[in-house]
């Protein structure tokens, strides 16, 4: 019902000229959980820096009730206002919101510029919310904003008073923007990543899903000396690591070839040695057993002698003193070799005869 009423009010305000929509910019519809808090940014144009800004509630601006002003802030536990004339944005922060607070509110500048929004306080989880409305980043780096939502519709990421990124990737004031929808722990999340941040990216943004918006402030700080050194070191380390990996790969390629050749040579040597060993063992098995052969030279030094008694002398003693001299004919082996070659089984016979003196 609220979106339709908002549309009707836009038409009425435009026709009656009661709405100064060309002077102030803000979101159009926000949702907050009961007991929660929210900060609403109101961007005004150049020339209104010295004018009083205020916040009021009601369906029509002419009949709205002023809740707080920049020139006379009353002590309040749930409502505060602040004006930044440098960025030309005044903000209104509401805390511990209750269901009865739901309704239309107005950002107003004293000279007459106004704009309005609808605030809905939900009993359960808000239709669109962020974990933090204030995010800090460093120049040259990136920030991430998680926009949690339960409604449906198109999504986009916009700068307050500026352009929007409605696709998955885009650019806002020199920063790259990436949008991604995921489902995490049963919750639908639109992840907004702004990278390559610049100092001029500091400001108010808002994520939108369907007819709901949620403002987010991003502060971009200059890198400190430590951060700069860390970034430079990381970059240098990245380059050093890449060069080191290249050197290692080149070294591996250089060593791989000789190592492969060495392995081949060792394998071939082992195979050759094994084959030679097998041949040697086979040759030893085929060789006949060794036999002891007496050399011919040793046989030549042996003289065989056979002693036989002649007939008629059997009764005679063999004592040389009583029967005379005993003669023996000895034929050395070397004399018989002229006839035939001596063999181990040959026997040399000799005749011994006793002669009387």
């Amino acid at each position: 019902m609220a979106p339709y009423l908002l549309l009707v009010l836009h038409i009425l305000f435009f026709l009656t000229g009661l709405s100064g929509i060309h002077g102030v910019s803000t979101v159009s519809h926000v949702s907050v959980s009961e007991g929660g808090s929210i900060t609403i940014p109101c961007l005004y144009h150049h020339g209104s820096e010295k004018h009083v800004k205020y916040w009021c509630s009601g369906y029509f601006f002419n009949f709205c009730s002023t809740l707080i002003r920049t020139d006379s802030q009353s002590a309040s536990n749930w409502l505060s206002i602040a004006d930044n004339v440098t960025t030309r944005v005044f903000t209104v922060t509401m805390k511990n919101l209750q269901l009865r607070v739901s309704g239309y509110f107005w950002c107003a500048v004293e000279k007459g510029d106004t704009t309005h929004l609808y605030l809905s306080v939900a009993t359960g989880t808000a239709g669109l919310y962020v974990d933090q409305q204030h995010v800090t980043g460093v120049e040259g780096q990136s920030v991430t904003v998680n926009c949690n939502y339960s409604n449906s519709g198109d999504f986009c990421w916009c700068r307050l008073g500026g352009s929007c990124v409605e696709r998955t990737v885009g650019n806002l004031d020199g920063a790259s923007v990436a949008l991604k929808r995921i489902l995490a722990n049963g919750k639908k999340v639109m992840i907004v990543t702004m990278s390559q941040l610049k100092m001029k990216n500091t400001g108010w943004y808002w994520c939108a899903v369907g007819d709901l918006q949620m403002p987010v402030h991003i502060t971009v700080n200059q890198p400190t000396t430590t951060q700069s050194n860390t970034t430079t070191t990381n970059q240098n380390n990245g380059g050093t690591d890449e060069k080191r990996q290249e050197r290692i790969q080149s070294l591996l390629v250089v060593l791989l070839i000789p190592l492969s050749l060495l392995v081949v040579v060792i394998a071939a040597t082992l195979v050759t040695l094994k084959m030679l060993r097998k041949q040697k063992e086979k040759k030893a098995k085929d060789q006949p057993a060794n036999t002891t052969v007496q050399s011919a030279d040793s046989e030549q030094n042996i003289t065989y002698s056979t002693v036989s008694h002649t007939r008629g002398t059997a009764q005679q003693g063999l004592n040389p003193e009583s029967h005379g001299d005993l003669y023996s004919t000895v034929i050395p082996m070397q004399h018989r070799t002229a006839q035939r070659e001596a063999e181990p089984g040959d026997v040399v016979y000799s005749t011994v005869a006793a002669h009387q003196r």
Side-chain angles (χ1 to χ4, degrees), residues 1-10 28-29 104 116-118:
M1 186 66 181
Y4 299 104
L5 289 175
L6 187 61
L7 178 61
V8 172
L9 287 175
H10 271 300
S28 60
H29 188 189
Y104 290 94
H116 63 278
L117 62 97
Y118 186 82

Side-chain angles (χ1 to χ4, degrees), residues 264-282:
V264 172
V265 171
I266 293 174
T269 303
L270 292 176
V271 171
T272 303
L273 291 175
K274 189 174 182 180
M275 293 179 62
L276 291 175
R277 185 179 299 174
K278 286 185 178 181
Q279 291 180 358
K280 186 175 181 180
E281 291 177 355
K282 184 177 180 181

Side-chain angles (χ1 to χ4, degrees), residues 30-36 99 120-131 147-151 186-188 212 214:
V30 294
S31 176
V32 185
S33 298
E34 184 178 10
L99 294 176
S120 60
V121 180
T123 55
T125 304
L128 176 64
Y129 67 94
V130 292
D131 299 330
C147 300
N148 306 275
Y149 66 97
S150 58
N151 62 327
K187 297 180 180 180
K188 295 185 290 185
L212 293 176
M214 177 54 61

Side-chain angles (χ1 to χ4, degrees), residues 213-286:
Q213 301 92 39
M214 177 54 61
V216 178
H217 186 268
I218 295 178
T219 302
V220 181
N221 296 324
Q222 291 183 347
T224 61
T225 304
T226 303
Q227 291 173 332
S228 300
N229 292 338
T230 302
T231 304
T232 304
T233 301
N234 291 335
Q235 293 176 351
N236 292 336
N237 287 341
T240 303
D241 292 339
E242 293 178 357
K243 292 181 180 178
R244 185 181 295 110
Q245 291 179 357
E246 291 179 358
R247 288 198 299 268
I248 292 174
Q249 291 177 354
S250 300
L251 183 61
L252 288 176
V253 172
V254 172
L255 292 178
L256 185 60
I257 296 176
L259 286 176
S260 302
L261 293 176
L262 181 60
V263 170
V264 172
V265 171
I266 293 174
T269 303
L270 292 176
V271 171
T272 303
L273 291 175
K274 189 174 182 180
M275 293 179 62
L276 291 175
R277 185 179 299 174
K278 286 185 178 181
Q279 291 180 358
K280 186 175 181 180
E281 291 177 355
K282 184 177 180 181
K283 193 173 184 180
K285 290 181 180 179
D286 295 340

Side-chain angles (χ1 to χ4, degrees), residues 169-190:
V169 293
N171 186 284
L172 284 179
D173 298 329
S176 298
V177 179
L179 307 180
K180 182 179 181 181
R181 283 188 177 188
I182 65 169
L183 184 64
N185 298 325
K187 297 180 180 180
K188 295 185 290 185
V189 182
M190 182 180 76

Side-chain angles (χ1 to χ4, degrees), residues 135-141 143 194 196-203 205 217-223:
V135 181
T136 302
V138 179
E139 186 179 15
Q141 300 184 17
V143 294
M194 292 187 66
Q196 301 176 0
L197 292 173
K198 297 174 175 55
M199 296 298 297
K200 64 181 180 179
N201 295 131
T202 296
Y205 298 81
H217 186 268
I218 295 178
T219 302
V220 181
N221 296 324
Q222 291 183 347

